[in-house]
Amino acid sequence: MLKKIFVTALIFCVLTSVAFAADKKPKKSVWQPELLVGLFGNVTQVGLKVSAPCIMIDPASKKTLKKIPADKNFVVDFAQMKTAAVEIRPEKILLKDLHTTIDGRKYFGGVRVNKGKSSLTVINLAPVEEYLRGVVGEEMSPAYPLEALKAQAVAARSFAMKNRGRHEKDGYDICATTHCQVYEGFEDFDIVNKAVDETRGEVLTFKEKIADTNFHADSGGMTEAVADVWGTHISYLVPVKELLELTAPWTMKFSAKDFSSRFGDGFGDLKSIKLSKLTVGKGSGDRTSSGRVKSAQLVGTKKTLTVTGADLRRKFSLPSTLFDMKFSGGEVVFTGYGRGHGVGMSQQGAKSYAEKGWKYDKILMHYYSGTKLKKLY
Ligand SMILES: [Zn+2]
């Protein structure tokens, strides 16, 4: 039911954006969806500057409140705002060609300011393709090969389009942090721009709906089933092998005293650890099918605990759950591989496949097997 509502809402968003775009009569080829990206809140004023002449409108009535000249600093102030929100849009050029400086930082597109009970929420009004120019280089290194960056652009676009409205209660679509996708505004890397332009409008779909395109830094050798991380089975987020195994090795050591203390007084002192040996791609009772730690048994002087790999990762800030764990000489040593949750595309893996000559669509089909690449606009 919720899914139905969400899909209806998504279609509505797309249709209203189309209708709005139609009012403005842009060429069909330049149309793209707009995103409301929440930047920050809890302020009583925000300093702004636009790169071209703009109008300030009341988004509810669509009435123009005033004209804003280019390249002049101005302030939107809580005490002086008479409408529940204001939007600043270009007067003559397309939104994608406008840049807005918000509290000293440059962003693509315009701005929307929502007035709350006692403070303002500042939102970047960004066309999706421009937003991606800022996101792709934050989520993946611009030093990576073009085809890996193109795969990242499709994954990031799919995420943005699928999650429009995720922050509806906050008054915007998505936020600019790791909770959604990291976006720090204007960026201009040639290779990132190329990756975005060459995949314009493309998203991954599954059964006619936009797919979940989770990604992570490095799987360490094999990706993880989404069901083993977040509990829900998704047919295209299952373990796949990598070109390289045992990548991104890491070691972390803790004194037995420090280790034991993290499990509370009831645990006592650590006596032994029971965990099968890691083999990438081999599951067992205490490991998932990719080899990640499902659970480990910790024997203490007062109690024996069964702790999940995810809990261990959180408690000790481990880079991943693909690890071995040994207790000897008064020390607990974690030896692991990879970085991140392991679900979906491995960015390091995408890089190695791109270096091998794979195109972005082949890379995407490897990590999200069974999905389809679709051009939305
Ligand atoms: Zn968010």
Side-chain angles (χ1 to χ4, degrees), residues 218-223 240-247 280 322:
D218 191 320
S219 78
M222 191 166 197
T223 67
V240 295
K241 287 201 163 180
E242 298 278 7
L243 199 57
L244 307 168
E245 237 179 45
L246 305 178
T247 50
V280 174
L322 190 70

Side-chain angles (χ1 to χ4, degrees), residues 247-259:
T247 50
W250 53 267
T251 305
M252 284 175 81
K253 294 177 184 177
F254 298 88
S255 71
K257 199 179 164 204
D258 178 12
F259 185 91

Side-chain angles (χ1 to χ4, degrees), residues 166-167 174-175 177 179-180:
R166 188 185 197 191
H167 281 277
I174 55 179
C175 71
T177 71
H179 174 260
C180 287

Side-chain angles (χ1 to χ4, degrees), residues 41-185:
N42 296 319
V43 292
T44 52
Q45 57 172 229
V46 56
L48 301 166
K49 191 169 78 175
V50 287
S51 63
C54 283
I55 47 170
M56 181 186 280
I57 64 164
D58 169 10
S61 66
K62 299 269 187 269
K63 274 187 185 149
T64 299
L65 303 173
K66 63 174 163 184
K67 292 199 172 198
I68 310 276
D71 300 320
K72 269 199 154 177
N73 292 312
F74 66 102
V75 169
V76 172
D77 191 284
F78 178 84
Q80 285 160 14
M81 252 178 94
K82 293 188 176 67
T83 53
V86 292
E87 269 183 18
I88 290 151
R89 291 177 172 275
E91 197 176 8
K92 289 178 183 131
I93 60 171
L94 289 169
L95 184 64
K96 77 176 184 64
D97 297 320
L98 179 73
H99 296 136
T100 302
T101 304
I102 303 171
D103 273 356
R105 183 176 283 182
K106 192 171 158 187
Y107 290 86
F108 296 100
V111 67
R112 178 182 171 124
V113 182
N114 285 351
K115 190 178 184 186
K117 277 192 183 135
S118 57
S119 64
L120 304 174
T121 302
V122 182
I123 300 157
N124 183 200
L125 192 63
V128 173
E129 298 298 309
E130 311 314 308
Y131 158 79
L132 289 172
R133 292 178 207 285
V135 165
V136 173
E138 287 292 330
E139 294 283 356
M140 180 183 265
S141 167
Y144 276 23
L146 177 65
E147 294 300 318
L149 287 159
K150 283 167 77 174
Q152 181 68 50
V154 173
R157 185 182 295 105
S158 304
F159 179 90
M161 293 304 291
K162 192 178 179 81
N163 289 283
R164 278 174 101 187
R166 188 185 197 191
H167 281 277
E168 197 182 349
K169 64 168 180 40
D170 304 314
Y172 45 88
D173 287 316
I174 55 179
C175 71
T177 71
T178 49
H179 174 260
C180 287
Q181 299 194 105
V182 179
Y183 171 64
E184 296 192 339

Side-chain angles (χ1 to χ4, degrees), residues 98-356:
L98 179 73
H99 296 136
T100 302
T101 304
I102 303 171
D103 273 356
R105 183 176 283 182
K106 192 171 158 187
Y107 290 86
F108 296 100
V111 67
R112 178 182 171 124
V113 182
N114 285 351
K115 190 178 184 186
K117 277 192 183 135
S118 57
S119 64
L120 304 174
T121 302
V122 182
I123 300 157
N124 183 200
L125 192 63
V128 173
E129 298 298 309
E130 311 314 308
Y131 158 79
L132 289 172
R133 292 178 207 285
V135 165
V136 173
E138 287 292 330
E139 294 283 356
M140 180 183 265
S141 167
Y144 276 23
L146 177 65
E147 294 300 318
L149 287 159
K150 283 167 77 174
Q152 181 68 50
V154 173
R157 185 182 295 105
S158 304
F159 179 90
M161 293 304 291
K162 192 178 179 81
N163 289 283
R164 278 174 101 187
R166 188 185 197 191
H167 281 277
E168 197 182 349
K169 64 168 180 40
D170 304 314
Y172 45 88
D173 287 316
I174 55 179
C175 71
T177 71
T178 49
H179 174 260
C180 287
Q181 299 194 105
V182 179
Y183 171 64
E184 296 192 339
F186 181 85
E187 276 185 13
D188 189 19
F189 293 105
D190 285 349
I191 191 166
V192 171
N193 291 337
K194 200 167 177 269
V196 172
D197 292 340
E198 289 186 4
T199 60
R200 184 185 165 82
E202 290 180 5
V203 293
L204 286 184
T205 62
F206 183 74
K207 292 188 176 167
E208 305 301 317
K209 286 180 190 159
I210 300 176
D212 284 299
T213 48
N214 302 87
F215 53 87
H216 60 279
D218 191 320
S219 78
M222 191 166 197
T223 67
E224 182 67 316
V226 67
D228 283 324
V229 180
W230 294 302
T232 313
H233 171 74
I234 297 177
S235 68
Y236 53 87
L237 293 175
V238 291
V240 295
K241 287 201 163 180
E242 298 278 7
L243 199 57
L244 307 168
E245 237 179 45
L246 305 178
T247 50
W250 53 267
T251 305
M252 284 175 81
K253 294 177 184 177
F254 298 88
S255 71
K257 199 179 164 204
D258 178 12
F259 185 91
S260 303
S261 72
R262 305 208 193 185
F263 297 94
D265 289 342
F267 177 68
D269 296 321
L270 180 68
K271 275 167 60 186
S272 65
I273 294 171
K274 283 181 192 160
L275 175 67
S276 66
K277 196 176 165 6
L278 165 68
T279 306
V280 174
K282 190 166 170 266
S284 59
D286 56 6
R287 290 188 182 271
T288 67
S289 56
S290 70
R292 286 175 175 77
V293 176
K294 208 188 275 178
S295 62
Q297 229 179 50
L298 310 176
V299 182
T301 48
K302 294 183 186 167
K303 202 197 292 187
T304 296
L305 296 174
T306 302
V307 186
T308 66
D311 277 345
L312 288 167
R313 185 177 172 213
R314 216 171 299 123
K315 235 180 233 304
F316 296 96
S317 302
L318 309 175
S320 73
T321 55
L322 190 70
F323 59 79
D324 272 320
M325 197 179 171
K326 286 207 174 73
F327 175 42
S328 66
E331 254 187 351
V332 176
V333 182
F334 291 93
T335 315
Y337 304 89
R339 278 179 294 133
H341 50 60
V343 177
M345 182 173 73
S346 155
Q347 295 174 310
Q348 187 62 36
K351 175 177 181 272
S352 48
Y353 283 117
E355 282 165 353
K356 198 188 170 197

